[in-house]
Amino acid sequence: MNIIACVNNSWGIGNKGELLFKIPQDMRLFKDKTYGKTVIYGRKTMEGFPGGKPLVGRNNIVITSKLAHLDEKVEHSADIFGSITKFMTPKDTIPSDGKLIDIGNRALIAIRDQSGEDPEKYPKLSARTNLFAAKSIKDAITMSNILEMDTRNVFICGGASIYEQFLPFCEYAYITKVDSDKEADAFIPNLDKLDNWEYMSEGFVNHDDGEDVNFKTMCIYRNKDNSYFYKKGV
């Protein structure tokens, strides 16, 4: 699994529920890295997306305890809405238009199945926009393992608490570093200060006229303790 984020000098990512920076080049990089793959984030992060809808052309896993709040988003912009539950789920808890998919000792409830449209860009990749819901970190990991044979195709996208909780399970981090002290109230751990994370790439220096800042894209870190996942038996 991977972390992908844009940070300021203090590793701040947001302020008052908004992203600190909206740099077009960084946003294009984010799309290039995640398109056709699986992204994991919290409900509040999705509410900050355009229209509060899931990201197009990706498997979206939203961690939330309020599944009903996502129902409208699915109807208008997603192919599949699901939740991981214990396999012995009482039948009366399954929606009338849903179906139970056996995945061993757990089950995936697919509530809707709609066809997505191919976007004009990235025609060679899958155009499906899938929205899933998970009630816990563990369920999100289980679901991502179902959706992706290669966990390097799974990206953690926020917010701050989600980044922190998933950090031990991630092997790589793709960080855009913005040379700015812009005020922030949401942060991710400073990987430069964590012994088990090593800096693999210095990144590429760029300038954004809109934000009037210098920034480095593709600063890549690697988690040297990548056996954590298996030690914990998650």
Side-chain angles (χ1 to χ4, degrees):
M1 303 175 77
N2 313 277
I3 282 176
I4 187 165
C6 179
V7 305
N8 70 358
N9 291 329
S10 302
W11 289 72
I13 59 172
N15 190 38
K16 298 179 181 178
E18 299 288 336
L19 292 174
L20 279 189
F21 309 100
K22 294 183 179 179
I23 299 173
Q25 185 173 341
D26 176 60
M27 297 174 78
R28 287 194 298 270
L29 177 65
F30 174 87
K31 184 171 184 177
D32 288 341
K33 291 296 294 182
T34 63
Y35 196 89
K37 299 174 184 175
T38 295
V39 291
I40 300 176
Y41 47 81
R43 177 177 57 86
K44 290 183 179 180
T45 295
M46 190 177 82
E47 291 173 351
F49 293 158
K53 297 179 180 180
L55 298 174
V56 173
R58 279 150 278 203
N59 290 317
N60 294 256
I61 300 177
V62 184
I63 299 176
T64 177
S65 60
K66 300 178 180 179
L67 302 181
H69 288 192
L70 301 180
D71 195 48
E72 182 179 353
K73 310 298 182 186
V74 176
E75 183 177 3
H76 294 295
S77 62
D79 294 322
I80 297 173
F81 172 71
S83 61
I84 291 283
T85 64
K86 291 183 178 179
F87 182 56
M88 298 304 292
T89 301
K91 290 184 179 180
D92 58 5
T93 65
I94 302 175
S96 58
D97 59 346
K99 58 183 177 180
L100 191 63
I101 303 172
D102 184 358
I103 55 172
N105 64 342
R106 290 176 176 267
L108 176 66
I109 298 178
I111 299 177
R112 283 190 178 87
D113 190 354
Q114 300 170 254
S115 297
E117 296 181 359
D118 290 345
E120 294 181 3
K121 296 185 68 175
Y122 307 96
K124 65 181 180 180
L125 296 176
S126 169
R128 294 180 66 83
T129 302
N130 300 322
L131 176 62
F132 298 92
K135 289 187 176 182
S136 68
I137 298 295
K138 185 173 182 178
D139 283 351
I141 291 174
T142 300
M143 189 176 292
S144 69
N145 287 334
I146 295 168
L147 296 171
E148 299 288 352
M149 294 183 63
D150 187 344
T151 56
R152 287 174 294 184
N153 291 331
V154 179
F155 289 82
I156 311 304
C157 305
S161 65
I162 300 296
Y163 278 125
E164 186 169 2
Q165 291 178 76
F166 272 95
L167 189 64
F169 305 116
C170 292
E171 185 175 2
Y172 289 98
Y174 297 90
I175 306 296
T176 293
K177 291 184 172 182
V178 182
D179 185 13
S180 170
D181 295 314
K182 193 172 183 179
E183 182 180 359
D185 60 13
F187 302 82
I188 66 173
N190 185 337
L191 302 185
D192 291 319
K193 294 184 178 181
L194 299 181
D195 292 338
N196 61 312
W197 283 86
E198 61 178 344
Y199 201 7
M200 301 288 292
S201 169
E202 288 291 334
F204 303 94
V205 179
N206 305 268
H207 181 78
D208 180 73
D209 292 328
E211 297 279 359
D212 192 25
V213 291
N214 293 322
F215 62 98
K216 285 184 178 181
T217 58
M218 292 297 289
C219 299
I220 304 174
Y221 291 79
R222 185 178 72 89
N223 184 357
K224 294 181 289 186
D225 186 17
N226 55 18
S227 61
Y228 180 93
F229 183 89
Y230 302 100
K231 290 177 183 177
K232 298 297 287 188
V234 175

